[in-house]
Amino acid sequence: ITEYDLPRRTIQPHDVILDDRGIVWYSNFGEQAIGKMDPKTGKVTEFQIPITKPGFPTGELGLDVDKAGNLWFGMMYQAGIAKFDRKTERFQVFAIPQDFNRDMTQINMPAARSSHVDGKVWTQNNGFAVVHRIDLATGKGETFKPFGDPKDGENHNIYDIIADSRNNLYFTDFVNEHIGRIDAKTGE
């Protein structure tokens, strides 16, 4: 096991992946930045993600890679997902539908791996136990309510989401031990 020091004690790596070039990438749970580290040299480079909701907590959760090698992060209380283009080192931020952008909104995980199929990226919203799908061409989002009206009082927590090769979404509800699926074509 090799341990690497990060430049500040406040960095909180949450999700970590190794890219196709052997570079380590991580989401930062407590700060509005992502990081990359070269494991050969230990050099860490950080990239600041734009703030979209000033005054709300910062940090990322979830980390996915699309077919082109772009990195995707859930922006938690900043109420969106961010795409990081490794070539240009620039971010593109996608907001969730405004109806679900409230104080309790928490966007943790993107599922971008199969977004090339239909040009859409999935994400979940822990604040409402719903799933959003964002059209990358228009930036418009749609919302799926696998457990009905989020105000019904039943407690659900959609945590992990994964898209299959057809961009159908699979998700877990770890409060009630459910596994669900949303059909990408029908929305069922």
Side-chain angles (χ1 to χ4, degrees):
I1 296 174
T2 303
E3 291 186 10
Y4 298 88
D5 290 327
L6 293 173
R8 288 182 321 287
R9 294 177 57 89
T10 56
I11 297 173
Q12 300 173 38
H14 191 279
D15 294 276
V16 180
I17 64 166
L18 191 66
D19 73 13
D20 57 353
R21 295 174 292 158
I23 300 296
V24 175
W25 292 89
Y26 61 87
S27 58
N28 187 334
F29 193 71
E31 299 172 344
Q32 197 69 3
I34 61 166
K36 78 173 181 177
M37 185 200 65
D38 183 338
K40 293 178 184 170
T41 64
K43 179 183 177 193
V44 174
T45 305
E46 293 182 279
F47 302 93
Q48 300 298 312
I49 299 174
I51 300 277
T52 56
K53 283 179 80 171
F56 282 79
T58 59
E60 300 80 53
L61 193 70
L63 171 56
D64 200 13
V65 180
D66 65 21
K67 187 175 182 177
N70 299 306
L71 302 169
W72 291 80
F73 301 85
M75 295 172 56
M76 293 201 302
Y77 293 102
Q78 292 291 309
I81 56 175
K83 170 185 155 185
F84 182 74
D85 184 318
R86 291 184 307 161
K87 293 175 187 157
T88 64
E89 296 185 343
R90 293 181 186 247
F91 288 98
Q92 186 175 5
V93 174
F94 297 89
I96 58 153
Q98 194 59 40
D99 292 356
F100 289 90
N101 186 350
R102 300 193 195 139
D103 289 355
M104 73 286 255
T105 297
Q106 185 180 357
I107 306 300
N108 294 339
M109 294 158 192
R113 191 164 307 263
S114 295
S115 60
H116 63 280
V117 172
D118 57 8
K120 297 177 181 178
V121 171
W122 298 93
T123 190
Q124 52 55 274
N125 187 335
N126 268 13
F128 294 92
V130 298
V131 174
H132 305 293
R133 183 169 61 176
I134 300 170
D135 184 308
L136 300 177
T138 65
K140 292 186 179 181
E142 57 188 318
T143 301
F144 299 84
K145 302 174 184 176
F147 304 106
D149 189 344
K151 299 175 189 129
D152 68 3
E154 187 176 337
N155 192 15
H156 294 280
N157 189 334
I158 297 173
Y159 191 71
D160 212 1
I161 63 171
I162 297 172
D164 68 13
S165 63
R166 293 188 177 113
N167 212 20
N168 298 305
L169 187 75
Y170 290 84
F171 62 89
T172 60
D173 171 12
F174 68 76
V175 170
N176 292 297
E177 301 178 357
H178 291 118
I179 296 175
R181 177 183 183 271
I182 301 174
D183 186 284
K185 289 186 179 174
T186 68
E188 195 174 313

